């Protein structure tokens, strides 16, 4: 690692996509700049905010902070891609504008990646609730038994209705050269699930992903940042993105098996959402038709609908998970 903050190539570039984040952006930047034991730069990409986000970032008198103000709204994937293009660090870390990171996070993660010969590294997360309670998302012992995150494990973890929290919540840190060598960027056509496709693509390219069991990333749950619940158009967009992913990469047998589970999960989730809407509108004939076509959609009603809808909550571009883990 380099030792001077004036070096032209920092160890890590934090990419922060910001949209109307005036109330949290300074906190996120301060946590990134507080990383110990390595050099950092922070690239904030404003995605056409209408609040004071740009002014707040522009007022920061730290040469390690750079601001990119987009001329048109490109969504979370497009904003992060702009940050990737501007990054100079050896590693790229993604930080949401309403979250923070612990001071030793990147040093531990990069050391973990080096020990495993990995080009990607993820870590555990803490969820900070509105009342100040902090909950660890994964048990450290559980992650310690799995030193590497494999593609089949990642796909299986992202099967809908399987669990409230999965590896898709983890914020990866990428070796910048690896992203560039494989032409990896966020899919800007997706407004939800774009982070899943990026990490899945990196793993499908042969990237090794190390897992740091300790928590270094902090999700801040706050008013107005509750993750949106999936809608039919979100399901359809992710199904289409998966088809593109499968057309680009040849998966090993176990990954293909997990992908079939994921595809079935999308199908059942879609039927379930249709069924819920039909019941809400008292379209009993339509609900019966949906239930007969996909009996699993009916089985999901054994759990209270609200709980199932929470299971279908997805982390938005600039927000925390919608439901704390039990």
């Amino acid at each position: 690692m380099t030792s001077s903050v004036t070096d032209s190539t920092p160890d890590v570039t934090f990419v922060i996509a910001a949209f109307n984040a005036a109330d949290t952006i300074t906190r996120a930047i301060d946590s990134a700049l507080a990383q110990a034991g390595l050099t950092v730069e922070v690239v904030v990409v404003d995605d056409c905010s209408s609040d004071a986000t740009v002014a707040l970032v522009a007022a920061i008198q730290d040469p390690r902070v750079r601001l990119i103000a987009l001329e048109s709204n490109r969504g979370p994937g497009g904003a992060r891609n702009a940050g990737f293009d501007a990054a100079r660090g050896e590693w790229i870390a993604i930080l949401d504008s309403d979250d923070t990171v612990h001071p030793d996070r990147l040093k531990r993660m990069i050391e973990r990646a080096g020990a495993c010969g990995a080009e990607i590294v993820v870590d555990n997360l803490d969820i900070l609730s509105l009342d100040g309670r902090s909950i660890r998302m994964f048990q450290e012992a559980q992650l310690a038994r799995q030193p590497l995150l494999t593609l089949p494990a990642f796909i299986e973890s992202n099967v809908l209705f399987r669990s409230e929290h999965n590896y898709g919540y983890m914020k990866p840190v990428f070796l910048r050269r690896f992203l560039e060598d494989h032409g990896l960027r966020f899919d800007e056509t997706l407004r939800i699930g774009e982070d899943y496709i990026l990490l899945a693509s990196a793993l499908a390219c042969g990237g090794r992903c190390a897992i740091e069991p300790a928590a270094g990333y902090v999700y801040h749950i706050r008013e107005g940042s509750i993750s949106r619940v999936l809608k039919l158009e979100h399901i359809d967009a992710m199904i289409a993105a998966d088809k593109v992913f499968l057309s680009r990469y040849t998966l090993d047998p176990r990954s293909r098996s997990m992908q079939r589970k994921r595809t079935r999960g999308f199908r059942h989730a879609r039927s379930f959402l249709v069924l819920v809407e039909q019941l809400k509108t008292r379209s009993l004939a339509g609900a019966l038709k949906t239930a007969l076509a996909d009996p699993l959609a009916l089985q999901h009603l054994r759990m209270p609908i609200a709980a199932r809808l929470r299971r279908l909550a997805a982390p938005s571009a600039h927000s925390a998970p919608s439901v704390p883990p039990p």
Side-chain angles (χ1 to χ4, degrees), residues 22-308:
D23 55 343
T24 60
I25 188 64
T26 302
R27 181 184 68 192
I29 293 172
D30 287 345
S31 76
L33 294 176
Q35 291 300 294
L38 40 68
T39 61
V40 302
E41 69 169 355
V42 179
V43 176
V44 180
V45 184
D46 182 76
D47 202 15
C48 297
S49 295
S50 59
D51 64 1
T53 299
V54 170
L56 287 171
V57 178
I60 297 175
Q61 300 297 311
D62 192 315
R64 296 174 295 171
V65 179
R66 287 189 286 152
L67 171 65
I68 298 174
L70 299 181
E71 295 182 356
S72 60
N73 184 278
R74 290 173 54 180
R80 289 171 179 161
N81 283 344
F84 280 19
D85 293 339
R88 298 175 302 188
E90 182 180 1
W91 294 84
I92 295 179
I94 300 164
L95 175 60
D96 286 351
S97 60
D98 49 5
D99 295 333
T100 57
V101 287
H102 294 308
D104 60 345
R105 182 192 185 224
L106 266 298
K107 185 175 185 295
R108 284 189 289 102
M109 293 180 76
I110 292 175
E111 288 176 350
R112 177 74 61 174
C116 297
E119 300 87 2
I120 315 158
V121 56
V122 295
D123 64 343
N124 211 338
L125 310 94
D126 285 329
I127 301 176
L128 189 63
S129 61
L130 291 171
D131 60 6
R133 291 182 302 116
S134 180
I135 302 174
R136 187 69 41 88
M137 182 171 284
F138 302 100
Q139 293 183 358
E140 291 191 16
Q142 169 196 347
L143 296 183
R145 291 191 295 267
Q146 186 179 348
L148 293 176
L149 177 60
T150 63
L151 180 58
F154 183 60
I155 296 175
E156 183 180 26
S157 176
N158 283 272
V159 175
L160 294 184
F161 287 141
R162 290 295 299 273
S163 62
E164 252 180 277
H165 296 289
N166 56 58
Y167 298 142
Y169 283 108
M170 292 173 161
K171 294 292 184 181
V173 176
F174 296 97
L175 190 65
R176 180 166 61 90
R177 184 180 66 252
F178 177 80
L179 294 175
E180 293 173 350
D181 288 347
H182 294 278
L184 293 173
R185 288 294 187 268
F186 286 100
D187 184 343
E188 298 190 23
T189 66
L190 289 176
R191 292 298 177 114
I192 190 168
E194 72 286 345
D195 41 6
Y196 166 82
I197 290 295
L198 178 63
L199 183 49
S201 298
L203 294 171
C205 285
R208 288 171 60 86
C209 181
I211 298 178
E212 167 55 47
Y217 193 97
V218 183
Y219 274 117
H220 291 257
I221 296 180
R222 61 188 181 88
E223 293 292 344
S225 73
I226 299 302
S227 303
R228 57 186 178 274
V229 174
L230 284 182
K231 300 178 181 178
L232 283 178
E233 56 265 33
H234 298 149
I235 294 283
D236 292 339
M238 289 191 288
I239 290 174
D242 274 19
K243 289 181 179 178
V244 175
F245 169 75
L246 292 172
S247 71
R248 290 179 177 171
Y249 303 103
T250 301
L251 306 187
D252 61 90
R254 180 154 178 76
S255 294
R256 288 199 302 270
S257 175
M258 296 303 104
Q259 182 62 45
R260 287 192 292 270
K261 287 185 179 181
R262 176 172 160 87
T263 301
R264 286 196 299 271
F266 278 141
R267 186 176 70 247
H268 298 322
R270 195 182 195 285
S271 297
F272 174 71
L273 291 176
V274 170
L275 180 60
V276 169
E277 187 61 31
Q278 290 166 334
L279 292 175
K280 286 168 58 179
T281 59
R282 299 180 180 243
S283 176
L284 299 184
L288 179 60
K289 182 179 179 180
T290 299
L292 291 174
D294 189 351
L296 273 180
L298 188 62
Q299 291 180 27
H300 289 315
L301 292 180
R302 293 177 181 175
M303 179 182 290
I305 289 179
R308 277 299 177 185

